[in-house]
Amino acid sequence: MEIADVVKRAYAMPLTNPSFPPGPYRFFDREYIIITYRTTREALEAVVPAPLEIDEPLVKYEFIRMPDSTGFGDYTETGQVIPVKYKGQHGGYVHSMYLDDDAPIAGGRELWGFPKKLANPKIAHEGEVIVGTLHYGSVLCATGTMGYKHREADHDSVLAALAAPNFLIKIIPHVDGTPRICELVRYYLTDITLKEAWTAPAALDLRPHVMADVAKLPVLDIVSAVHFKADLTLGLGEVVHDYLADHDRVATSKAQPEKIRA
């Protein structure tokens, strides 16, 4: 294989047999259960990276069922998104994600910097209740329950939330273990078709686990819950802040001797 061929083919790993195809990535009948809860500002301050700013001490715990997606297949995901601001723009910081399929784990981490880990989330419809669970190995780490389609949710509000920007920290290590890439990435969901949206009472139980630390953002009280289905496209990202470049700039500035006043 010639050098030019390596560069041409090198969009993902492994070089000759990538885990996922090139995008864009379209999702059909994507089902969400999002339980918004209040937590402590101190817990958020420990995990939200600057230059993002905490909007309110809220967390959106999400269970997402993806039965049909181009390139990534059929899988289920769960995790926490924190409402934040970036230069006055309201959006969400993706803090944690747990899912059960290799392709979206590899693609999510390599392309955008999604904080994806392999686990076993589930969404089940049990009579008049929707149940979301997260197992990491044999340990139950999260349980969310929500009433089934009690009241129709405001579609404009749901669409506005889906269309808002999302932020990630993309980290790629160098071969010596130091960071090679450390960037704040922004991405959007596009071409959204909201099919249905409902609200109902909900409950959420998060439990400690050393490798699935969802309980480190404790649940104080439930604010709201929404259950909806949509078709949408996961847009590719853009870098909005380069942490390494900023660090190097600050280090260089500090290393320069102060000018002696005449």
Side-chain angles (χ1 to χ4, degrees):
M1 189 184 298
E2 299 294 331
I3 291 177
D5 295 325
V6 173
V7 174
K8 182 179 179 180
R9 297 179 64 168
Y11 77 89
M13 295 177 63
L15 174 63
T16 58
N17 190 21
S19 296
F20 55 93
Y25 305 95
R26 182 72 176 165
F27 293 79
F28 304 94
D29 293 323
R30 191 171 186 175
E31 182 180 15
Y32 288 79
I33 295 95
I34 301 177
I35 301 174
T36 300
Y37 69 91
R38 196 174 308 279
T39 191
T40 68
R41 183 168 290 272
E42 291 76 15
L44 293 183
E45 289 174 346
V47 299
V48 174
L52 298 178
E53 300 176 15
I54 298 168
D55 198 359
E56 295 183 62
L58 300 175
V59 181
K60 295 182 178 183
Y61 196 95
E62 302 184 350
F63 296 94
I64 311 174
R65 180 82 185 95
M66 273 78 71
D68 183 9
S69 65
T70 59
F72 294 144
D74 178 349
Y75 63 103
T76 305
E77 186 168 83
T78 189
Q80 291 159 306
V81 177
I82 301 168
V84 294
K85 290 187 291 186
Y86 175 72
K87 294 184 177 179
Q89 182 183 41
H90 293 265
Y93 171 63
V94 184
H95 170 63
S96 66
M97 303 185 84
Y98 303 90
L99 58 157
D100 57 3
D101 185 17
D102 175 69
I105 291 176
R109 290 172 71 105
E110 291 178 25
L111 285 172
W112 296 270
F114 280 109
K116 293 175 181 279
K117 285 187 173 184
L118 180 65
N120 187 26
K122 297 289 184 185
I123 293 176
H125 293 223
E126 299 180 357
E128 77 283 12
V129 178
I130 311 168
V131 179
T133 55
L134 166 63
H135 279 83
Y136 198 100
S138 62
V139 179
L140 177 63
C141 300
T143 303
T145 55
M146 179 179 175
Y148 188 72
K149 297 186 179 182
H150 283 207
R151 298 176 302 278
E152 191 169 5
D154 180 74
H155 279 220
D156 290 342
S157 297
V158 175
L159 282 169
L162 284 171
N166 292 282
F167 299 92
L168 305 157
I169 296 290
K170 181 173 183 176
I171 302 170
I172 301 292
H174 208 305
V175 292
D176 64 1
T178 59
R180 181 72 174 267
I181 293 172
C182 187
E183 299 167 338
L184 182 65
V185 174
R186 177 172 56 199
Y187 75 93
Y188 293 86
L189 303 176
T190 63
D191 302 322
I192 302 166
T193 301
L194 182 61
K195 297 184 172 181
E196 58 177 323
W198 305 88
T199 184
L204 180 64
D205 178 34
L206 305 179
R207 302 181 184 183
H209 189 289
V210 65
M211 296 303 291
D213 61 353
V214 292
K216 286 189 176 181
L217 301 180
V219 180
L220 300 184
D221 61 86
I222 303 299
V223 175
S224 63
V226 63
H227 169 218
F228 60 91
K229 288 185 179 181
D231 296 344
L232 54 86
T233 297
L234 175 57
L236 297 174
E238 59 178 332
V239 176
V240 296
H241 186 81
D242 187 329
Y243 288 94
L244 297 183
D246 187 55
H247 177 269
D248 292 343
R249 178 186 58 78
V250 172
T252 300
S253 176
K254 288 183 178 180
Q256 291 177 348
E258 294 184 4
K259 294 182 179 181
I260 300 176
R261 293 184 179 180

